[in-house]
Amino acid sequence: MSEPARHSGLGAHRQPGRAAGPAEPPAGGSADGRSPGRRARRLAAAFGAALALFAAAPATALPAGGDATATADSPVVLTMESVNPQVAAPNGTVTISGHVTNGGKSALKGAHAAIRKPAAKPMQRRSELQLMTTRNAPGVELDSPQYALPELNPGQTQAYTLSVAVSDLGLSDSGVYELAVDAWGATADNPHDRMLGVARTYLPYSQGGGDAQPTKVTALWPLVHAPVLAAQTVADNDQTVPVLRDDSLATDFAPGGRLYELVDTGAKLSGLTWVVDPDLLDAAFAMTNKQYRVQKPGAAAGKPARDDNTVAGTGSAAAAAWLDKLRAAVAKPGNQVVALPYADPDLASIAHNGADLAGMATALNKAATAGRLTVEGRLSADTRSDVAWPYQGYVDQQITGIARQAGSGLVLVNGASMPEPDSVNYTPTAVRPIGNGQNALVADETVSALFQKDLTSPKDQTEATQRFLAETFTITHEQPQNQRGLLIMPPRELSAATAKVLAGALQTAGDKWLAPVKLDTLAQSAPDPKANTAVPSPTDYPTQVRASELSAFDLSGTDKIQRDLDTLMRVLTLPQRVRGPFSAAMVRSLSTEWRTTGAAGDAYREGVATYLADLTNAVKVPQKTAVTLAGNTGLLQVSVTNDLTQTVTNLKLVLTSTQPNRLSVSKEEELVIPASQSVTLRFQAAARNNGPVTMTAQLWTTGPNPQKYGPAATFPVEVTSVTNGVLYVFAGAGVLLLLAALRFVRQRKRRGGQPHEDGDQPVGDGPAPDGAGSAAAEAGSEAPGEGPEEGPTGRPEQDTTEGGPTQTPRASSPDGRDRAASDEKVGP
């Protein structure tokens, strides 16, 4: 193996892309211009450093193609996978470990890895931190330590470890410095020594002491999950068994699961702000019922839950233990719980696509109230419930407006949505008054972005941690006497690995230049008058974020669920058995979590709407095929069935003739139908002509603002054998009318068109008499309340007698046919 390369003691920068070609070696020297003695000393130092390091792993091969970041000029890809300690101190040692990968097309020859000498002065501005990530110029490597690399073929990788004394780095003042590792050497297709690759990160250096005011930092710790509770429940003797659409929470609540690890990690922190979706707590509580059921994959989501389309849940013990663990974590002094509105409705989608829907404002207000009560009840903790968190923290004037209508006085905002003006060359505090009695807490965009992805690899974890420490150190020391407040906004779906990285970074900096505080403490800070307080207009809302919103069609479907639920509530005698599950399910259909699982959200909304329609249609008028009215008068019988497990009331049946001049019926009939039974109503009919007439039977709610209930049923009535006597009466009436008309004409001629002495005027043609019949106007509905649910019984109907002489039990003929529901013949 060829000797390791190095810079000259003069510190000249080596150019990574030097021109190829042979060079004449100086007298007594080598082709690289170094003396033999220096080469020997350098080689000995390299091997000595290598022996002093941790044992290196053997070279391994990467998948074909190598690393995508390799280039022809920089074929080596270096990673930093740990920096220990993460903050350097005087008289200490910094150890770096990672991997060197040959991502090029030819083997490495005589290569080595070495730590680059940092600049003498620390970086003072956050803009300098950003520039460092784009700088590719080679630097001056330290003579020691260096790691001699074996010959690596394309695609092979080699672990390395380098330890360096802080004193050898030449750090001067406290601050943030670049920490870089370079790879130097040659390749089989280019024998000239050059820089082959670099890995860099940030190294805060703290000498202790100082009079900088620590930055107050609030980290949001979200506990959210896509809705899993279904509107259905399973009736089970003395209790109602909950039903979940899947059993994913059983894994999440168990050790190693995402939600378990979030609680376990957060419990070790102080000054934490837990942001909790109340629906998740309800789901966990429902799972503590050991009999809870889960819908089978592929089963129709809108059908009543039964043993044949559900399976037993498996997460009862894990859910109970998780709730206990969470209660203990949020009870720690200095922590705070923020209750999101129930099921975390998507404020941005509603503001942009559903603001004109009457049910949205009602849904948001109910969600806010239910959210606070649920979190307080499930966790036995005080909560704050007036906080709005739009999707990814992006806002515009429509979003803040609808948040204000829903009672949110504080809005959590992404810094990208409200960037600072160029005139502000420091980081202002997070609090911003945005008008109309609302405040915003604006999260730092750069810091929050570090935790937006799942940090599972050691490389990503080290990169995020060191950048976090560098950014927060610089923020604190930008204006050391001006204490600021910083908000960190991770994603709603914060992963377990990312949470651990964030927690570790907070603990490292919290002992030095950060002061973790809860949300209320940060919100009460004095705002910076130079900070941006302008909420962007809707035209400035990011297009890519808008693309994932719930559509107007989705929101209209949810709004219809609310209207249909209101109608059903008016007829039930035990509405609490239906109101709670469906009110909650309606809000769940608006969840922000459907942004990333659109198909699941569509299926959930469709299932809720279908099941509600099934419950509504369990009270109905069965279809009739044909009815014969033999004569000029008679009774028409119409049945109404109730397949629910509770009595229904506040209903009336309206029977309407399409030709009232030929066949008229008596007025509507109000009815009460016991559970799992049916009633038959009898309407007096009067016929004037033979032939078919179509009748419409429609259920309506009674009371103020009557509403149509369910679909109408139509059936033909065949009128036969209208008697001759009736026809004679009609004919005689016609003759009398004709004689009266002739007399009237003769009188006009006799008077010459002059008024009669009694004041009568000549009369022209008047309007024909109207037929009987009217329809009630449709209007708004009552607001629902809360509470388990109701399902069609599917049991045989039973006859009953209700409501007086016109409401009779269903009658069957000796052959078993239901004459009120099918072909029948009624006489006078």
Side-chain angles (χ1 to χ4, degrees):
M1 179 168 57
S2 62
E3 64 174 342
R6 69 181 294 273
H7 290 297
S8 71
L10 298 177
H13 284 189
R14 186 172 308 228
Q15 300 302 320
R18 293 187 301 189
E24 279 295 323
S30 62
D32 61 2
R34 299 178 179 128
S35 67
R38 179 174 293 180
R39 290 177 58 194
R41 290 193 300 271
R42 182 61 182 275
L43 187 60
F47 281 112
L51 292 173
L53 302 175
F54 298 119
T60 57
L62 289 180
D67 193 292
T69 61
T71 65
D73 289 336
S74 300
V76 170
V77 177
L78 286 95
T79 62
M80 286 190 186
E81 297 170 11
S82 72
V83 175
N84 186 32
Q86 295 161 328
V87 178
N91 303 319
T93 300
V94 176
T95 299
I96 308 164
S97 63
H99 282 82
V100 179
T101 302
N102 183 358
K105 297 180 179 180
S106 61
L108 300 184
K109 299 290 185 180
H112 72 277
I115 295 177
R116 179 184 296 185
K117 183 176 179 60
K121 295 293 183 181
M123 290 173 273
Q124 302 291 339
R125 298 289 180 188
R126 299 183 70 186
S127 57
E128 296 179 65
L129 302 179
Q130 178 61 32
L131 286 174
M132 193 204 83
T133 63
T134 61
R135 194 165 53 236
N136 289 320
V140 179
E141 63 181 2
L142 297 175
D143 287 342
S144 178
Q146 294 186 0
Y147 185 84
L149 296 170
E151 183 173 306
L152 295 177
N153 292 319
Q156 285 190 312
T157 185
Q158 172 72 38
Y160 75 88
T161 301
L162 294 168
S163 293
V164 62
V166 173
S167 58
D168 290 343
L169 293 174
L171 309 182
S172 56
D173 301 327
S174 294
V176 178
Y177 294 83
E178 178 187 46
L179 181 62
V181 174
D182 296 336
W184 288 84
T187 57
D189 60 354
N190 186 345
H192 296 284
D193 181 47
R194 65 191 191 278
M195 192 178 80
L196 302 174
V198 61
R200 56 166 61 90
T201 190
Y202 304 89
L203 182 65
Y205 174 57
S206 176
Q207 296 175 312
D211 55 357
Q213 294 292 317
T215 299
K216 293 183 291 185
V217 59
T218 296
L220 304 179
W221 207 257
L223 295 178
V224 300
H225 189 278
V228 295
L229 276 172
Q232 297 94 324
T233 58
V234 178
D236 181 30
N237 297 333
D238 299 329
Q239 60 182 335
T240 301
V241 177
V243 176
L244 276 61
R245 66 182 184 90
D246 62 51
D247 212 14
S248 56
L249 285 176
T251 300
D252 270 2
F253 288 151
R258 185 181 74 90
L259 293 170
Y260 177 93
E261 296 299 329
L262 286 180
V263 174
D264 187 64
T265 302
K268 301 178 178 68
L269 301 176
S270 60
L272 200 60
T273 299
W274 300 81
V275 184
V276 183
D277 178 3
D279 178 54
L280 174 62
L281 301 182
D282 266 357
F285 183 76
M287 291 172 63
T288 62
N289 183 331
K290 296 180 180 180
Q291 281 74 45
Y292 84 91
R293 308 288 295 179
V294 179
Q295 292 174 345
K296 286 183 177 179
K303 296 301 180 182
R306 302 183 302 269
D307 287 344
D308 62 348
N309 60 12
T310 62
V311 296
T314 61
S316 182
W322 183 81
L323 279 173
D324 289 341
K325 191 176 186 69
L326 177 59
R327 292 185 187 105
V330 301
K332 288 184 60 176
N335 288 347
Q336 183 174 4
V337 178
V338 170
L340 292 171
Y342 194 92
D344 191 16
D346 192 334
L347 283 176
S349 294
I350 294 172
H352 294 153
N353 303 320
D356 57 340
L357 297 174
M360 292 297 103
T362 301
L364 288 177
N365 287 329
K366 286 183 178 180
T369 301
R372 176 179 57 81
L373 295 176
T374 301
V375 174
E376 288 179 351
R378 299 293 185 217
L379 298 184
S380 302
D382 293 334
T383 66
R384 179 167 184 172
S385 60
D386 66 335
V387 179
W389 187 10
Y391 178 64
Q392 293 186 355
Y394 286 100
V395 297
D396 60 22
Q397 293 163 359
Q398 290 177 331
I399 296 172
T400 56
I402 202 165
R404 182 174 64 255
Q405 293 174 19
S408 297
L410 186 64
V411 184
L412 307 178
V413 180
N414 187 330
S417 199
M418 294 179 63
E420 300 308 324
D422 294 338
S423 59
V424 179
N425 59 0
Y426 60 93
T427 304
T429 198
V431 183
R432 315 289 164 82
I434 57 176
N436 298 308
Q438 277 183 312
N439 283 333
L441 281 182
V442 180
D444 189 89
E445 178 186 4
T446 301
V447 173
S448 297
L450 298 174
F451 307 101
Q452 291 297 315
K453 64 179 182 178
D454 189 7
L455 302 175
T456 55
S457 72
K459 169 185 174 294
D460 290 342
Q461 293 170 357
T462 297
E463 180 181 301
T465 299
Q466 296 305 124
R467 182 68 182 270
F468 174 87
L469 297 174
E471 293 284 348
T472 55
F473 186 97
T474 305
I475 289 170
T476 298
H477 292 85
E478 283 173 334
Q479 294 186 346
Q481 299 307 311
N482 177 21
Q483 187 177 41
R484 269 78 46 74
L486 186 71
L487 177 67
I488 302 173
M489 182 189 293
R492 275 175 162 81
E493 305 81 13
L494 179 64
S495 71
T498 301
K500 291 177 182 178
V501 175
L502 175 55
L506 286 169
Q507 289 172 320
T508 299
D511 295 335
K512 301 170 177 68
W513 57 85
L514 292 183
V517 298
K518 61 184 180 181
L519 187 77
D520 279 353
T521 302
L522 183 63
Q524 292 164 6
S525 302
D528 190 318
K530 296 182 180 180
N532 180 20
T533 60
V535 177
S537 69
T539 57
D540 295 326
Y541 193 80
T543 303
Q544 71 276 14
V545 181
R546 191 184 289 267
S548 64
E549 290 179 346
L550 304 182
S551 67
F553 176 81
D554 296 332
L555 298 177
S556 296
T558 299
D559 195 55
K560 184 177 183 301
I561 292 173
Q562 180 65 70
R563 296 196 306 272
D564 292 346
L565 179 62
D566 291 344
T567 302
L568 179 61
M569 291 300 98
R570 299 176 70 170
V571 308
L572 300 180
T573 52
L574 297 172
Q576 68 276 9
R577 294 170 58 180
V578 176
R579 180 186 296 128
F582 274 101
S583 293
M586 190 207 73
V587 179
R588 291 186 194 112
S589 69
L590 302 171
S591 175
T592 304
E593 296 304 300
W594 303 130
R595 288 277 193 138
T596 55
T597 55
D602 293 341
Y604 188 87
R605 279 185 291 274
E606 182 179 353
V608 173
T610 300
Y611 186 50
L612 180 59
D614 285 350
L615 289 182
T616 301
N617 295 334
V619 181
K620 62 184 181 296
V621 178
Q623 287 295 329
K624 300 165 69 69
T625 54
V627 176
T628 300
L629 182 65
N632 51 307
T633 60
L635 294 175
L636 297 179
Q637 299 184 84
V638 181
S639 294
V640 182
T641 64
N642 173 20
D643 288 334
L644 297 176
T645 57
Q646 60 174 284
T647 300
V648 295
T649 185
N650 297 326
L651 277 174
K652 64 182 178 181
L653 180 63
V654 179
L655 191 62
T656 307
S657 171
T658 58
Q659 296 176 290
N661 59 322
R662 294 181 55 203
L663 178 64
S664 60
V665 294
S666 57
K667 65 178 182 177
E668 66 269 9
E669 293 287 344
E670 296 189 9
L671 67 160
V672 175
I673 314 176
S676 308
Q677 297 189 27
S678 63
V679 298
T680 299
L681 294 95
R682 306 167 72 183
F683 292 83
Q684 184 69 42
R688 298 180 181 86
N689 292 94
N690 292 328
V693 178
T694 300
M695 303 296 293
T696 300
Q698 174 68 64
L699 288 170
W700 286 78
T701 61
T702 59
N705 301 320
Q707 304 287 310
K708 287 183 178 180
Y709 185 93
T714 60
F715 59 93
V717 175
E718 185 69 33
V719 181
T720 63
S721 303
V722 173
T723 62
N724 291 336
V726 173
L727 296 178
Y728 292 153
V729 171
F730 287 161
V735 170
L736 291 175
L737 288 173
L738 178 61
L739 291 175
L742 290 174
R743 179 175 178 274
F744 175 73
V745 172
R746 290 177 60 189
Q747 287 179 343
R748 287 188 61 187
K749 289 181 178 180
R750 187 179 301 124
R751 298 190 187 109
Q754 297 298 317
H756 193 269
E757 62 183 1
D758 61 5
D760 288 343
Q761 292 288 344
V763 182
D765 295 334
D770 291 334
S774 63
E778 296 190 30
S781 57
E782 300 172 357
E786 297 87 18
E789 96 352 293
E790 178 74 36
T793 65
R795 296 186 296 214
E797 298 163 341
Q798 302 174 14
D799 293 339
T800 187
T801 301
E802 297 282 350
T806 61
Q807 184 170 307
T808 62
R810 174 173 293 179
S812 297
S813 63
D815 61 3
R817 290 198 302 165
D818 186 343
R819 291 303 183 184
S822 60
D823 296 331
E824 62 179 322
K825 182 177 181 179
V826 292

